[in-house]
Amino acid sequence: MASLQLSLSVPSGPRTSISRFRNRPVECTNERQALFSRIAPVYDNLNDLLSLGQHRIWKRMAVSWTGAKMGDSVLDLCCGSGDLAFLLSEKVGRNGKVTGVDFSKEQLLIASSRQQLSSKDCFQNIEWVEGDATDLPFSDCNFDAITMGYGLRNVIDKHKAMQEMYRILKPGAKASVLDFNKSSQVFVASFQEWMIDNVVVPVASAYGLAKEYEYLKSSIRDFVTGKELEELALEAGFSAAKHYEISGGLMGNLVATR
Protein backbone atom coordinates (compact mmCIF):
# COMPACT_ATOMS: atom_id res chain seq x y z
CA MET A 1 0.00 0.00 0.00
CA ALA A 2 1.25 3.46 -0.85
CA SER A 3 2.05 5.93 1.87
CA LEU A 4 -0.80 7.52 3.80
CA GLN A 5 1.60 9.80 5.63
CA LEU A 6 0.31 13.26 6.47
CA SER A 7 3.30 15.60 6.29
CA LEU A 8 2.25 18.21 8.81
CA SER A 9 5.70 19.57 9.45
CA VAL A 10 7.18 21.74 6.73
CA PRO A 11 10.09 20.01 5.01
CA SER A 12 13.55 21.12 6.03
CA GLY A 13 15.84 22.96 3.64
CA PRO A 14 16.20 26.45 2.26
CA ARG A 15 12.54 26.80 1.15
CA THR A 16 10.71 26.43 4.44
CA SER A 17 7.39 28.18 4.98
CA ILE A 18 7.85 28.69 8.72
CA SER A 19 10.02 31.81 8.37
CA ARG A 20 7.69 33.18 5.72
CA PHE A 21 4.72 32.74 8.03
CA ARG A 22 6.47 34.57 10.85
CA ASN A 23 7.14 37.57 8.65
CA ARG A 24 3.66 37.81 7.14
CA PRO A 25 0.89 40.11 8.44
CA VAL A 26 -1.64 38.65 10.87
CA GLU A 27 -4.43 39.27 8.35
CA CYS A 28 -2.79 36.84 5.96
CA THR A 29 -1.69 34.08 8.29
CA ASN A 30 -3.23 33.72 11.71
CA GLU A 31 -6.71 35.11 11.01
CA ARG A 32 -7.30 33.36 7.69
CA GLN A 33 -5.67 30.17 8.86
CA ALA A 34 -7.91 30.17 11.94
CA LEU A 35 -10.97 30.87 9.79
CA PHE A 36 -10.41 27.84 7.55
CA SER A 37 -9.64 25.69 10.56
CA ARG A 38 -12.98 26.65 12.15
CA ILE A 39 -15.02 25.84 9.07
CA ALA A 40 -13.14 22.60 8.30
CA PRO A 41 -15.61 20.19 10.03
CA VAL A 42 -18.59 21.36 7.93
CA TYR A 43 -16.77 22.69 4.84
CA ASP A 44 -17.84 19.88 2.50
CA ASN A 45 -21.47 19.87 3.62
CA LEU A 46 -21.72 23.64 3.20
CA ASN A 47 -20.17 23.49 -0.26
CA ASP A 48 -22.84 21.01 -1.35
CA LEU A 49 -25.66 23.03 0.19
CA LEU A 50 -24.53 26.45 -1.01
CA SER A 51 -23.79 25.41 -4.60
CA LEU A 52 -26.57 22.80 -4.88
CA GLY A 53 -23.81 20.35 -5.74
CA GLN A 54 -22.59 22.43 -8.67
CA HIS A 55 -19.11 22.87 -7.15
CA ARG A 56 -18.40 19.26 -8.09
CA ILE A 57 -18.97 20.08 -11.77
CA TRP A 58 -16.76 23.18 -11.57
CA LYS A 59 -13.98 21.18 -9.94
CA ARG A 60 -14.12 18.50 -12.61
CA MET A 61 -13.83 21.24 -15.21
CA ALA A 62 -10.81 22.70 -13.41
CA VAL A 63 -9.07 19.30 -13.35
CA SER A 64 -9.88 18.64 -17.00
CA TRP A 65 -8.31 21.96 -18.04
CA THR A 66 -4.95 20.86 -16.56
CA GLY A 67 -4.56 18.09 -19.12
CA ALA A 68 -3.30 15.77 -16.35
CA LYS A 69 -2.86 12.19 -17.56
CA MET A 70 -1.93 8.74 -16.31
CA GLY A 71 1.44 8.60 -14.57
CA ASP A 72 1.78 12.35 -14.05
CA SER A 73 3.03 14.05 -10.89
CA VAL A 74 0.53 16.77 -9.99
CA LEU A 75 -0.14 19.30 -7.24
CA ASP A 76 -3.37 20.54 -5.68
CA LEU A 77 -2.51 23.86 -4.07
CA CYS A 78 -4.72 25.15 -1.22
CA CYS A 79 -6.26 21.68 -1.31
CA GLY A 80 -8.63 22.07 1.65
CA SER A 81 -10.41 18.79 2.33
CA GLY A 82 -9.09 17.28 -0.89
CA ASP A 83 -11.83 17.37 -3.56
CA LEU A 84 -9.53 18.41 -6.41
CA ALA A 85 -6.72 16.15 -5.20
CA PHE A 86 -9.03 13.13 -5.34
CA LEU A 87 -10.16 14.05 -8.86
CA LEU A 88 -6.52 14.46 -9.91
CA SER A 89 -5.74 11.06 -8.40
CA GLU A 90 -8.30 9.45 -10.70
CA LYS A 91 -6.67 11.20 -13.67
CA VAL A 92 -3.08 10.17 -12.95
CA GLY A 93 -3.81 6.68 -11.59
CA ARG A 94 -1.88 4.60 -9.09
CA ASN A 95 1.37 5.05 -11.02
CA GLY A 96 1.04 8.82 -10.81
CA LYS A 97 1.55 11.02 -7.77
CA VAL A 98 -0.65 13.70 -6.21
CA THR A 99 0.50 16.19 -3.61
CA GLY A 100 -2.08 18.24 -1.71
CA VAL A 101 -0.83 21.41 0.01
CA ASP A 102 -2.73 23.60 2.46
CA PHE A 103 -1.93 25.93 5.37
CA SER A 104 -4.75 24.51 7.53
CA LYS A 105 -3.77 21.42 9.49
CA GLU A 106 -7.44 20.74 10.27
CA GLN A 107 -8.37 20.69 6.58
CA LEU A 108 -5.46 18.36 5.84
CA LEU A 109 -6.50 15.97 8.61
CA ILE A 110 -9.99 15.78 7.11
CA ALA A 111 -8.51 15.16 3.65
CA SER A 112 -6.31 12.39 5.04
CA SER A 113 -9.29 10.81 6.82
CA ARG A 114 -11.31 10.85 3.58
CA GLN A 115 -8.38 9.19 1.82
CA GLN A 116 -8.09 6.41 4.39
CA LEU A 117 -11.84 5.72 4.38
CA SER A 118 -12.00 5.44 0.60
CA SER A 119 -11.90 2.08 -1.15
CA LYS A 120 -10.42 3.57 -4.35
CA ASP A 121 -6.96 2.14 -4.85
CA CYS A 122 -5.68 5.15 -6.78
CA PHE A 123 -6.25 7.45 -3.80
CA GLN A 124 -3.23 5.87 -2.12
CA ASN A 125 -1.02 7.98 -4.43
CA ILE A 126 -1.84 11.20 -2.52
CA GLU A 127 0.42 12.84 0.04
CA TRP A 128 -0.74 15.79 2.17
CA VAL A 129 1.70 18.60 3.02
CA GLU A 130 1.20 21.65 5.23
CA GLY A 131 2.72 24.63 3.44
CA ASP A 132 2.59 28.21 2.20
CA ALA A 133 1.40 28.93 -1.36
CA THR A 134 3.95 31.74 -1.67
CA ASP A 135 6.95 29.64 -0.61
CA LEU A 136 6.48 26.06 -1.73
CA PRO A 137 8.92 23.35 -0.59
CA PHE A 138 9.37 21.81 -4.06
CA SER A 139 12.14 21.91 -6.64
CA ASP A 140 11.89 23.79 -9.94
CA CYS A 141 10.06 22.13 -12.87
CA ASN A 142 8.68 19.40 -10.62
CA PHE A 143 4.99 19.00 -11.57
CA ASP A 144 3.06 18.06 -14.72
CA ALA A 145 -0.02 20.03 -13.62
CA ILE A 146 -1.35 22.22 -10.80
CA THR A 147 -4.87 22.92 -9.58
CA MET A 148 -5.86 25.62 -7.12
CA GLY A 149 -9.49 25.76 -6.01
CA TYR A 150 -10.80 28.79 -4.09
CA GLY A 151 -7.35 29.57 -2.75
CA LEU A 152 -5.75 32.39 -4.72
CA ARG A 153 -8.40 34.87 -3.56
CA ASN A 154 -7.26 34.28 0.03
CA VAL A 155 -3.55 34.72 -0.65
CA ILE A 156 -2.31 38.23 0.08
CA ASP A 157 0.69 38.09 -2.29
CA LYS A 158 -1.02 36.71 -5.39
CA HIS A 159 1.89 37.60 -7.65
CA LYS A 160 4.29 35.55 -5.51
CA ALA A 161 1.88 32.60 -5.48
CA MET A 162 1.64 32.75 -9.27
CA GLN A 163 5.43 32.90 -9.54
CA GLU A 164 5.72 29.83 -7.35
CA MET A 165 3.26 27.90 -9.53
CA TYR A 166 5.28 28.88 -12.59
CA ARG A 167 8.55 27.86 -10.92
CA ILE A 168 7.50 24.35 -9.95
CA LEU A 169 5.65 23.49 -13.17
CA LYS A 170 7.42 21.66 -15.98
CA PRO A 171 7.75 23.53 -19.31
CA GLY A 172 4.49 23.29 -21.26
CA ALA A 173 2.51 22.20 -18.18
CA LYS A 174 -0.67 23.97 -17.03
CA ALA A 175 -2.05 25.51 -13.87
CA SER A 176 -5.83 25.61 -13.46
CA VAL A 177 -7.10 28.14 -10.91
CA LEU A 178 -10.80 27.97 -9.94
CA ASP A 179 -12.42 30.68 -7.83
CA PHE A 180 -15.29 33.12 -7.50
CA ASN A 181 -15.35 35.46 -10.47
CA LYS A 182 -15.03 39.20 -9.87
CA SER A 183 -17.40 40.20 -12.64
CA SER A 184 -17.28 43.56 -14.40
CA GLN A 185 -21.01 43.22 -15.12
CA VAL A 186 -23.10 45.13 -12.58
CA PHE A 187 -25.98 42.63 -12.60
CA VAL A 188 -23.74 39.61 -12.01
CA ALA A 189 -21.79 41.37 -9.23
CA SER A 190 -25.02 42.53 -7.56
CA PHE A 191 -26.57 39.06 -7.78
CA GLN A 192 -23.41 37.54 -6.34
CA GLU A 193 -23.56 39.88 -3.31
CA TRP A 194 -27.30 39.24 -2.92
CA MET A 195 -26.65 35.48 -2.85
CA ILE A 196 -23.98 35.89 -0.17
CA ASP A 197 -26.20 38.09 2.03
CA ASN A 198 -29.44 36.16 1.57
CA VAL A 199 -28.37 32.56 1.02
CA VAL A 200 -24.74 31.90 1.98
CA VAL A 201 -24.60 33.72 5.31
CA PRO A 202 -28.05 32.55 6.53
CA VAL A 203 -27.19 28.93 5.72
CA ALA A 204 -23.77 29.26 7.38
CA SER A 205 -25.43 30.80 10.44
CA ALA A 206 -27.28 27.52 10.98
CA TYR A 207 -23.84 25.99 11.57
CA GLY A 208 -22.79 28.87 13.79
CA LEU A 209 -20.46 30.20 11.07
CA ALA A 210 -22.17 33.38 9.88
CA LYS A 211 -19.19 35.61 10.64
CA GLU A 212 -16.80 33.19 8.96
CA TYR A 213 -18.78 33.35 5.69
CA GLU A 214 -19.46 37.07 5.76
CA TYR A 215 -15.86 37.57 4.63
CA LEU A 216 -16.76 36.18 1.18
CA LYS A 217 -18.23 39.45 -0.06
CA SER A 218 -15.20 41.55 0.84
CA SER A 219 -12.78 38.89 -0.43
CA ILE A 220 -14.46 38.91 -3.85
CA ARG A 221 -14.49 42.72 -3.93
CA ASP A 222 -10.76 42.71 -3.14
CA PHE A 223 -10.03 40.00 -5.71
CA VAL A 224 -8.80 40.65 -9.25
CA THR A 225 -10.85 40.38 -12.45
CA GLY A 226 -10.39 37.62 -15.00
CA LYS A 227 -8.41 39.95 -17.25
CA GLU A 228 -6.18 40.92 -14.33
CA LEU A 229 -5.64 37.23 -13.51
CA GLU A 230 -4.46 36.66 -17.09
CA GLU A 231 -2.06 39.59 -16.78
CA LEU A 232 -0.84 38.31 -13.40
CA ALA A 233 -0.01 34.92 -14.92
CA LEU A 234 1.82 36.44 -17.88
CA GLU A 235 3.82 38.72 -15.56
CA ALA A 236 4.84 35.65 -13.54
CA GLY A 237 6.31 34.11 -16.71
CA PHE A 238 3.52 31.92 -18.12
CA SER A 239 3.53 31.79 -21.92
CA ALA A 240 -0.27 31.82 -22.20
CA ALA A 241 -3.21 32.54 -19.91
CA LYS A 242 -6.97 32.38 -20.46
CA HIS A 243 -9.71 33.08 -17.94
CA TYR A 244 -13.08 31.38 -18.45
CA GLU A 245 -16.28 32.60 -16.82
CA ILE A 246 -18.54 29.75 -15.74
CA SER A 247 -21.92 29.40 -14.01
CA GLY A 248 -23.25 32.60 -15.52
CA GLY A 249 -20.15 34.55 -14.55
CA LEU A 250 -20.42 33.77 -10.83
CA MET A 251 -17.33 31.55 -11.01
CA GLY A 252 -14.16 31.74 -13.05
CA ASN A 253 -11.27 29.49 -14.03
CA LEU A 254 -7.83 30.64 -15.10
CA VAL A 255 -5.82 28.27 -17.30
CA ALA A 256 -2.15 29.24 -17.50
CA THR A 257 0.49 27.42 -19.56
CA ARG A 258 4.15 27.50 -18.54
Side-chain angles (χ1 to χ4, degrees):
M1 179 180 292
S3 173
L4 290 174
Q5 177 182 3
L6 178 60
S7 302
L8 290 178
S9 58
V10 180
S12 60
R15 302 195 65 84
T16 61
S17 58
I18 296 298
S19 61
R20 178 74 63 171
F21 279 152
R22 286 175 180 165
N23 294 327
R24 299 291 294 282
V26 172
E27 177 189 6
C28 176
T29 56
N30 296 342
E31 290 183 2
R32 295 195 182 191
Q33 197 167 10
L35 185 152
F36 283 96
S37 295
R38 288 195 300 272
I39 67 176
V42 296
Y43 184 67
D44 291 323
N45 286 339
L46 277 174
N47 280 345
D48 281 326
L49 282 171
L50 297 174
S51 72
L52 300 178
Q54 293 297 297
H55 74 100
R56 300 184 182 279
I57 297 173
W58 305 330
K59 289 171 180 174
R60 288 190 178 277
M61 292 171 67
V63 168
S64 180
W65 265 313
T66 67
K69 60 187 184 300
M70 286 290 176
D72 279 352
S73 177
V74 297
L75 172 69
D76 182 22
L77 189 55
C78 301
C79 65
S81 59
D83 278 357
L84 286 165
F86 293 126
L87 293 174
L88 284 168
S89 177
E90 293 173 350
K91 285 283 187 182
V92 304
R94 186 178 175 86
N95 292 327
K97 181 181 179 182
V98 180
T99 304
V101 173
D102 202 278
F103 69 174
S104 169
K105 186 180 296 186
E106 286 74 13
Q107 290 277 17
L108 290 171
L109 288 169
I110 290 172
S112 181
S113 296
R114 292 176 66 191
Q115 176 189 34
Q116 294 179 56
L117 290 171
S118 175
S119 60
K120 288 194 176 183
D121 186 58
C122 65
F123 286 177
Q124 307 314 311
N125 65 7
I126 308 173
E127 180 182 14
W128 310 103
V129 178
E130 184 181 11
D132 179 355
T134 66
D135 194 9
L136 295 166
F138 307 112
S139 59
D140 296 355
C141 305
N142 193 61
F143 292 101
D144 296 293
I146 294 175
T147 55
M148 188 178 195
Y150 302 99
L152 188 61
R153 178 172 39 87
N154 296 300
V155 176
I156 297 298
D157 194 343
K158 296 172 179 57
H159 180 68
K160 179 60 176 172
M162 196 68 71
Q163 285 181 320
E164 279 292 87
M165 283 189 274
Y166 174 83
R167 179 183 66 79
I168 63 177
L169 273 174
K170 295 178 181 178
K174 294 179 179 179
S176 181
V177 182
L178 171 67
D179 215 312
F180 284 92
N181 179 44
K182 182 178 179 179
S183 180
S184 57
Q185 298 182 39
V186 175
F187 173 77
V188 174
S190 298
F191 179 70
Q192 198 173 51
E193 291 196 354
W194 183 91
M195 285 289 292
I196 293 170
D197 289 337
N198 295 277
V199 178
V200 174
V201 173
V203 170
S205 67
Y207 291 80
L209 296 169
K211 290 184 178 180
E212 284 78 1
Y213 275 81
E214 285 172 356
Y215 93 99
L216 269 176
K217 190 158 63 174
S218 61
S219 73
I220 296 172
R221 281 179 178 172
D222 294 338
F223 199 30
V224 291
T225 65
K227 181 65 176 176
E228 289 169 334
L229 277 173
E230 293 174 351
E231 294 171 354
L232 190 66
L234 295 175
E235 289 171 1
F238 286 92
S239 62
K242 176 66 176 176
H243 184 263
Y244 299 92
E245 292 191 355
I246 54 180
S247 191
L250 296 175
M251 303 292 154
N253 200 106
L254 173 74
V255 182
T257 306
R258 192 190 194 287

